[in-house]
Amino acid sequence: MRLPHQLFFVIVGGVLTPVVATAEDLGDAEAGKVVFEECSSCHQVGKGAENKIGPHLNGVFGRKAAGLEGFNYSKSLTRAGNSGLEWHADTLSDYVENPRAFASGTRMNFAGLKNPEDRANVVAYLRGFSDNPSDIPEADPTAKGTDHSIDPEILAIQGDPEYGAYLSNECTTCHQIEGGDEGIPSIVYWPAEDFVVALHAYKEKKRPHPVMQMIAGRLNNDEIAALAAYFNNPE
């Protein structure tokens, strides 16, 4: 379930504190138009936009993931949409930061925008092609969520693959260690960083899958790093 769109959260004195989004929290749409050039080989937006390698992005805000009729989405993104994922400023930002970590199995062949400012700008640009682009800042789709980048100290943890193998039994009851992805996405040979980002997205309930949220919620940072190290090369 998404939080009310007009709120995002910051840590103040160890307490999670709600903050009302303002116009200053929105990105620069003109700068976002330049950033979008990286996306334009696969996506179109604006008058006459059509589906290409990726779907057109007119009216993307508030739409269910994989919800544009007539486009053949990956099974991964379709599952995410059926689990409740919608595209809003925060979820779009999370997705374009690292598409594979956000939705394992996505066919979006893009390394991601690591710069938070670039993400905010391209989201602001896309907002202009939504149904109500003038609703600034109170109404969705203009609200901007907090940045969810993983703490570099967490990414720097060197996981123990042997410990990861010990912990992996719960994972392999669903995911095939041979790498097959019939029905369930494969998690083997992932870059360790992508694996860590994905597990923390479930842990923080950014990715909508109640079972994965429960499993990730029981894991500490060292255990997640160990699983990432193991599944990176389970041989």
Side-chain angles (χ1 to χ4, degrees):
M1 180 180 296
R2 296 183 68 253
L3 294 168
H5 62 263
Q6 70 269 31
L7 299 180
F8 65 100
F9 289 78
V10 295
I11 301 294
V12 179
V15 177
L16 198 63
T17 304
V19 180
V20 177
T22 67
E24 288 73 22
D25 295 317
L26 302 174
D28 181 339
E30 285 302 311
K33 183 177 181 179
V34 176
V35 177
F36 185 76
E37 291 177 3
E38 296 186 43
C39 316
S40 61
S41 61
C42 295
H43 297 279
Q44 291 186 353
V45 70
K47 185 177 180 180
E50 298 178 349
N51 295 334
K52 298 178 67 179
I53 296 172
H56 75 72
L57 298 177
N58 290 341
V60 67
F61 284 92
R63 191 161 68 209
K64 182 178 81 169
L68 182 65
E69 292 186 11
F71 186 80
N72 183 25
Y73 291 94
S74 66
K75 293 179 181 178
S76 174
L77 211 54
T78 300
R79 280 193 296 266
N82 290 338
S83 296
L85 176 64
E86 292 181 350
W87 295 128
H88 300 272
D90 51 357
T91 50
L92 279 169
S93 178
D94 291 337
Y95 183 56
V96 299
E97 180 180 8
N98 192 331
R100 277 204 61 185
F102 188 90
S104 54
T106 179
R107 290 197 295 266
M108 184 165 166
N109 187 23
F110 179 61
L113 294 173
K114 307 307 179 187
N115 186 322
E117 184 176 359
D118 285 344
R119 297 198 302 274
N121 291 343
V122 79
V123 165
Y125 173 66
L126 292 175
R127 181 205 63 199
F129 303 96
S130 64
D131 291 337
N132 298 293
S134 63
D135 293 338
I136 302 175
E138 293 82 6
D140 193 38
T142 59
K144 176 178 180 294
T146 184
D147 180 64
H148 289 286
S149 295
I150 299 296
D151 187 329
E153 291 186 5
I154 293 176
L155 291 177
I157 297 173
Q158 296 298 310
D160 179 351
E162 291 187 6
Y163 184 36
Y166 169 75
L167 295 170
S168 68
N169 286 342
E170 189 168 30
C171 305
T172 55
T173 58
C174 294
H175 298 277
Q176 299 178 42
I177 194 62
E178 297 84 5
D181 60 356
E182 289 297 321
I184 302 290
S186 170
I187 58 173
V188 298
Y189 305 117
W190 275 34
E193 181 173 322
D194 287 359
F195 191 101
V196 171
V197 170
L199 263 291
H200 278 278
Y202 285 122
K203 189 178 180 73
E204 297 167 18
K205 294 182 169 54
K206 288 165 48 186
R207 292 182 69 168
H209 191 294
V211 175
M212 285 302 303
Q213 289 174 355
M214 176 187 68
I215 292 171
R218 296 200 299 254
L219 298 170
N220 61 38
N221 295 341
D222 289 326
E223 289 170 335
I224 290 175
L227 286 167
Y230 171 65
F231 283 110
N232 175 251
N233 187 7
E235 297 176 359

